[in-house]
Amino acid sequence: MRLLIKNAQLVDDRGELGRADVLVEAGRIASLEGGEAEHVIDASGHFLLPAFFDLHTHLRVPGQEVKEDLSSGLRAAAAGGFAEVVAMPNTDPVIDRPEVIRALLGQARRVDGARLSVAAALSAGQEGRRLAELSRLKDAGAVLFTDDGHTNEDARLLAVGLRYAAALGVPVAVHAEDATLRADGVVHEGEVSERLGLPGNPAEAESARIARDLEIQRYGKGHLHIQHLSTYTGAKLVRQAKAKGQRVTAEVTPHHLTLTDEALFGLDPIFKVAPPLRERADVEALIAALEDGTVDVVATDHAPHTLDEKEADFLRAPFGIPNLEVAFPLLFTELVKKRGFPLGRLVEAMASAPRRLLGREAVRLEVGARADLVLVDPKRARPVTPEGFISKAKYSPWAGWELVGWPVLTLVDGRVAYEALG
Ligand code: DOR
């Protein structure tokens, strides 16, 4: 089946490319100059972008399907304009066995949403005591190793893990927080935590751990990827390490780019996340670091929990923010529209950089490219309405925010994975 997307404004990591009639055939871009097709879409006034790729998604399978499952999670991803997501291994049981990866990849093929990739645990059971069987996990399809959700307290395990993973050509992603400095902190330590009387998690818990992990990378070699960077100093350390030529990459989440700890004044656990929302100066530093490439990737850290769990009292509620369905419109509105952040750079951070980080080809809007594409409407404003989310987590820190840039069509290998053309 051929699909012709007419009059779309093309944007990829090179920036705005002008208008074209894009013909999609057999999972590829067949032409930028139109052609015969069974289906024709008039995309006047819309941007056509490479579909996004999320390096950091919690799909909660196996074992926590009450929070999310493959169908809800992968369809939510497609609705957010994502062609592929990397599922995190902090599940129940933990994803640390090849059979589990094979089963998940098999099940995901039957879901009509985004494609699935799987991150495997770095340590058996994510317990930080001994390495998981990295080579067998890679053979089963693992694209990343991480104990995400847990901190890596054992420095030697991380050093050896980085070295083994490098031999397999796989990056190691770290949840960089010093558990002893974080202690029982539930919000960023500062004026807000003091006024609320809540235990604080200092910025230094992150920056001290990043400093250690950068040293470990220098020693162990290998590719270190720092997840959900949240602090001014963390960004500075990554910038310095890159200037020295270290093999380090970093990601930032939509929430750390758009919210500060002042959102916590309402004591609503929906804003409770790890690492915590920080101060305005941190947010500004993260935006600058994303723009200058210090931070390579925007990754969602979509972390669904049940509403019941999130409505518990603040100290007991779990950490995590669901955001797959709002990530792009949120950043398009708040960064590109309101602050003039370069759209091409945002597309690079959400589509090209995460693919390259895993050794894949970035999708460019050229003849022959894989047809992982998303069409977004840059004009029609719509509020965030979490009750309409496909994700099982039907709540949002951004509920009611008026956003533009909503995806209206997501193609995954040329297949329609989401459509809301109206
Ligand atoms: O807020 C978070 N939620 N941060 C994490 O690191 C883990 C995640 C989860 O799994 O819920």
Side-chain angles (χ1 to χ4, degrees):
M1 183 103 70
R2 289 167 300 181
L3 172 67
L4 180 62
I5 304 170
K6 287 184 74 167
N7 290 315
Q9 188 72 35
L10 272 48
V11 184
D12 67 15
D13 59 12
R14 296 166 291 182
E16 302 209 13
L17 305 170
R19 227 190 302 275
D21 295 340
V22 177
L23 181 69
V24 175
E25 187 175 0
R28 301 262 156 196
I29 296 179
S31 160
L32 296 178
E33 290 159 4
E36 287 290 308
E38 287 73 35
H39 281 284
V40 180
I41 291 168
D42 179 11
S44 304
H46 287 51
F47 285 131
L48 186 70
L49 319 170
F52 314 126
F53 188 110
D54 192 16
L55 268 188
H56 192 153
T57 311
H58 295 274
L59 291 182
R60 306 303 190 202
V61 272
Q64 298 171 314
E65 288 80 359
V66 62
K67 298 174 192 257
E68 197 76 287
D69 61 31
L70 286 184
S71 171
S72 62
L74 293 174
R75 287 185 304 114
F82 291 88
E84 185 163 338
V85 302
V86 180
M88 289 296 114
N90 61 334
T91 49
D92 184 15
V94 163
I95 302 175
D96 64 354
R97 286 181 302 131
E99 310 82 82
V100 180
I101 297 179
R102 292 203 177 92
L104 287 174
L105 293 174
Q107 287 158 22
R109 266 179 234 119
R110 294 193 288 274
V111 175
D112 239 5
R115 280 188 308 265
L116 176 71
S117 275
V118 177
L122 179 68
S123 68
Q126 292 196 308
E127 285 170 357
R129 293 206 197 94
R130 61 183 171 84
L131 281 180
E133 295 182 279
L134 304 188
S135 161
R136 291 181 64 219
L137 292 165
K138 154 89 195 276
D139 288 347
V143 298
L144 191 71
F145 297 122
T146 181
D147 281 342
D148 177 53
H150 305 268
T151 58
N152 297 98
E153 296 309 308
D154 185 330
R156 173 157 295 277
L157 183 126
L158 179 59
V160 176
L162 271 164
R163 207 170 279 166
Y164 283 6
L168 300 169
V170 178
V172 172
V174 289
H175 178 126
E177 270 189 318
D178 181 302
T180 58
L181 274 178
R182 179 189 61 193
D184 58 356
V186 288
V187 295
H188 171 67
E189 184 172 290
E191 239 177 271
V192 174
S193 68
E194 260 166 52
R195 279 172 60 188
L196 292 172
L198 286 172
N201 173 353
E204 288 75 9
E206 176 174 285
S207 52
R209 180 48 57 90
I210 289 177
R212 186 205 75 165
D213 287 356
L214 290 170
E215 278 299 276
I216 292 175
Q217 188 282 332
R218 218 169 43 76
Y219 164 67
K221 305 286 186 278
H223 177 173
L224 176 74
H225 177 69
I226 295 168
Q227 298 178 306
H228 42 53
L229 191 71
S230 70
T231 58
Y232 172 94
T233 310
K236 200 164 96 183
L237 291 168
V238 172
R239 188 175 288 117
Q240 287 167 355
K242 285 190 163 186
K244 283 190 262 169
Q246 282 188 249
R247 199 158 165 221
V248 56
T249 50
E251 68 184 37
V252 64
T253 71
H255 37 281
H256 291 109
L257 288 168
T258 57
L259 300 168
T260 69
D261 61 344
E262 300 201 358
L264 274 312
F265 276 132
L267 274 177
D268 185 344
I270 281 177
F271 296 89
K272 182 177 172 185
V273 67
L277 301 175
R278 304 283 185 187
E279 297 176 19
R280 175 51 52 196
D282 298 298
V283 173
E284 292 302 323
L286 293 172
I287 295 172
L290 180 64
E291 183 163 359
D292 74 17
T294 298
V295 170
D296 306 79
V297 166
V298 170
T300 68
D301 195 5
H302 173 78
H305 296 284
T306 67
L307 189 56
D308 273 357
E309 290 169 300
K310 286 299 262 182
E311 278 177 343
D313 69 81
F314 199 90
L315 290 176
R316 280 194 13 243
F319 294 94
I321 288 177
N323 58 12
L324 276 173
E325 286 161 86
V326 299
F328 182 78
L330 179 70
L331 298 176
F332 182 73
T333 306
E334 298 300 313
L335 300 191
V336 176
K337 290 302 248 195
K338 293 193 182 162
R339 306 176 52 123
F341 189 94
L343 177 58
R345 174 65 197 128
L346 180 60
V347 171
E348 181 173 39
M350 290 187 71
S352 312
R355 286 179 169 90
R356 287 203 192 100
L357 200 147
L358 296 182
R360 314 270 185 94
E361 215 177 295
V363 175
R364 286 234 164 123
L365 301 184
E366 296 168 345
V367 172
R370 187 175 197 175
D372 281 355
L373 301 170
V374 59
L375 194 62
V376 305
D377 183 346
K379 296 219 177 66
R380 198 158 51 102
R382 182 155 68 72
V384 175
T385 50
E387 52 294 356
F389 281 175
I390 296 169
S391 166
K392 291 187 182 180
K394 300 190 193 301
Y395 52 85
S396 173
W398 303 281
W401 287 33
E402 284 280 332
L403 304 180
V404 289
W406 292 95
V408 294
L409 178 73
T410 307
L411 301 183
V412 177
D413 283 319
R415 161 181 64 84
V416 176
Y418 174 74
E419 196 253 280
L421 285 163

Coordinates of all heavy atoms in Angstrom, one line a residue, residues 56 58 60 67 90 148-150 175 228 255 272-275 301-305 318-321, ligand 1:
H56 N 14.3 5.6 27.0 CA 14.1 5.4 28.5 C 12.6 5.4 28.7 O 12.0 6.4 29.0 CB 14.7 6.5 29.2 CG 14.8 6.3 30.7 ND1 15.8 6.8 31.5 CD2 14.0 5.6 31.5 CE1 15.6 6.5 32.8 NE2 14.5 5.7 32.8
H58 N 9.4 3.1 30.8 CA 9.0 2.1 31.7 C 7.7 1.5 31.2 O 6.7 2.2 31.2 CB 8.9 2.6 33.1 CG 10.2 3.0 33.7 ND1 11.0 2.2 34.3 CD2 10.8 4.3 33.7 CE1 12.1 2.9 34.7 NE2 12.0 4.1 34.4
R60 N 6.6 -1.6 32.3 CA 6.1 -2.4 33.5 C 5.9 -3.8 33.2 O 5.2 -4.5 34.0 CB 4.9 -1.7 34.0 CG 5.0 -0.2 34.4 CD 6.1 0.0 35.4 NE 6.0 1.4 35.9 CZ 7.1 2.0 36.4 NH1 8.3 1.4 36.5 NH2 7.0 3.2 36.9
K67 N 0.0 -1.2 36.0 CA 0.5 0.2 35.8 C 0.5 0.5 34.3 O 0.3 1.6 33.8 CB 1.9 0.3 36.3 CG 2.0 0.2 37.9 CD 3.5 0.2 38.3 CE 3.7 -0.2 39.7 NZ 3.9 0.9 40.6
N90 N 13.6 -2.6 35.2 CA 13.2 -2.6 36.6 C 11.8 -3.1 36.8 O 10.9 -2.4 37.2 CB 13.4 -1.3 37.3 CG 12.6 -0.1 36.8 OD1 12.2 -0.2 35.6 ND2 12.3 0.8 37.6
D148 N 18.8 0.9 36.0 CA 17.9 2.1 36.2 C 16.8 1.8 37.2 O 16.2 0.8 37.3 CB 17.2 2.5 34.9 CG 16.3 3.6 35.1 OD1 16.7 4.7 35.7 OD2 15.1 3.5 34.7
G149 N 16.5 2.9 38.0 CA 15.6 2.8 39.1 C 16.4 2.5 40.4 O 15.9 2.8 41.5
H150 N 17.6 2.0 40.2 CA 18.5 1.7 41.3 C 19.8 2.4 41.0 O 20.1 2.7 39.9 CB 18.8 0.2 41.5 CG 17.5 -0.6 41.6 ND1 17.0 -0.9 42.8 CD2 16.7 -1.1 40.7 CE1 15.9 -1.6 42.7 NE2 15.7 -1.7 41.4
H175 N 21.7 5.5 36.5 CA 20.8 6.3 37.3 C 21.8 6.9 38.3 O 22.1 6.3 39.3 CB 19.8 5.5 38.0 CG 18.8 6.2 38.9 ND1 17.5 6.2 38.7 CD2 19.1 7.1 39.9 CE1 16.9 7.0 39.7 NE2 17.9 7.5 40.4
H228 N 18.5 10.8 32.8 CA 17.7 11.9 33.4 C 18.6 12.9 34.2 O 18.4 13.1 35.4 CB 16.6 11.3 34.2 CG 16.9 10.1 35.1 ND1 18.0 10.1 36.0 CD2 16.3 8.9 35.2 CE1 18.0 8.9 36.6 NE2 17.0 8.2 36.1
H255 N 10.1 16.5 31.8 CA 9.8 17.2 33.0 C 10.9 18.0 33.6 O 10.6 19.1 34.1 CB 9.2 16.2 34.1 CG 9.8 14.9 34.1 ND1 9.5 13.9 33.2 CD2 10.7 14.3 35.0 CE1 10.2 12.8 33.6 NE2 10.9 13.0 34.6
K272 N 6.0 14.0 42.0 CA 7.1 13.3 42.7 C 7.8 12.4 41.7 O 7.2 11.5 41.1 CB 6.5 12.5 43.8 CG 7.5 11.8 44.7 CD 6.9 11.1 45.8 CE 7.9 10.2 46.6 NZ 7.2 9.4 47.6
V273 N 9.1 12.6 41.5 CA 9.9 11.9 40.5 C 11.3 11.8 41.0 O 11.8 12.6 41.8 CB 9.7 12.6 39.1 CG1 10.4 14.0 39.2 CG2 10.2 11.8 38.0
A274 N 12.0 10.8 40.4 CA 13.4 10.6 40.8 C 14.2 10.7 39.5 O 13.9 9.9 38.6 CB 13.6 9.3 41.5
P275 N 15.3 11.5 39.4 CA 15.6 12.5 40.3 C 14.5 13.6 40.4 O 13.7 13.7 39.5 CB 16.9 13.1 39.7 CG 16.9 12.8 38.3 CD 16.1 11.5 38.2
D301 N 11.7 8.9 30.2 CA 11.6 8.3 31.6 C 10.1 8.2 31.9 O 9.7 8.4 33.1 CB 12.3 9.1 32.6 CG 12.5 8.3 33.9 OD1 12.1 7.1 34.0 OD2 13.0 8.9 34.9
H302 N 9.2 7.9 30.9 CA 7.8 7.6 31.1 C 7.7 6.6 32.2 O 8.1 5.4 32.0 CB 7.2 7.1 29.8 CG 5.8 6.6 29.9 ND1 4.7 7.5 29.9 CD2 5.3 5.3 29.9 CE1 3.6 6.8 30.0 NE2 3.9 5.5 30.0
A303 N 7.1 6.9 33.4 CA 7.1 6.0 34.5 C 5.7 6.0 35.1 O 5.4 6.6 36.1 CB 8.1 6.5 35.6
P304 N 4.9 5.1 34.5 CA 3.5 5.0 34.9 C 3.3 4.3 36.2 O 4.0 3.2 36.4 CB 2.8 4.3 33.7 CG 3.9 3.5 33.1 CD 5.2 4.3 33.3
H305 N 2.5 4.8 37.1 CA 2.0 4.1 38.3 C 0.5 4.2 38.3 O -0.1 5.0 37.5 CB 2.6 4.7 39.5 CG 4.1 4.6 39.6 ND1 4.7 3.5 39.9 CD2 5.0 5.5 39.4 CE1 6.0 3.7 39.9 NE2 6.2 4.9 39.6
P318 N 4.7 6.5 44.9 CA 6.0 6.1 44.2 C 6.4 7.3 43.3 O 5.7 8.2 43.0 CB 5.5 5.0 43.3 CG 4.0 5.1 43.2 CD 3.5 5.8 44.4
F319 N 7.7 7.2 42.9 CA 8.3 8.2 42.1 C 7.9 7.9 40.6 O 8.0 6.8 40.2 CB 9.8 8.2 42.2 CG 10.4 8.6 43.5 CD1 10.6 7.6 44.5 CD2 10.6 9.9 43.8 CE1 11.2 8.0 45.7 CE2 11.2 10.3 45.1 CZ 11.4 9.3 46.0
G320 N 7.7 8.9 39.8 CA 7.5 8.7 38.4 C 6.4 9.6 37.8 O 5.4 9.9 38.4
I321 N 6.7 10.0 36.5 CA 5.8 10.8 35.7 C 5.6 10.2 34.4 O 6.5 9.8 33.7 CB 6.4 12.2 35.5 CG1 6.4 13.0 36.9 CG2 5.7 13.0 34.4 CD1 7.1 14.4 36.8
Ligands
DOR1 O1 10.8 8.6 38.9 C1 11.2 7.6 38.6 N1 10.5 6.5 38.4 N2 12.6 7.4 38.5 C2 13.2 6.3 38.3 O2 14.4 6.2 38.2 C3 12.4 5.0 38.3 C4 11.0 5.3 37.8 C5 10.1 4.2 38.0 O3 10.4 3.0 37.6 O4 8.9 4.4 38.4

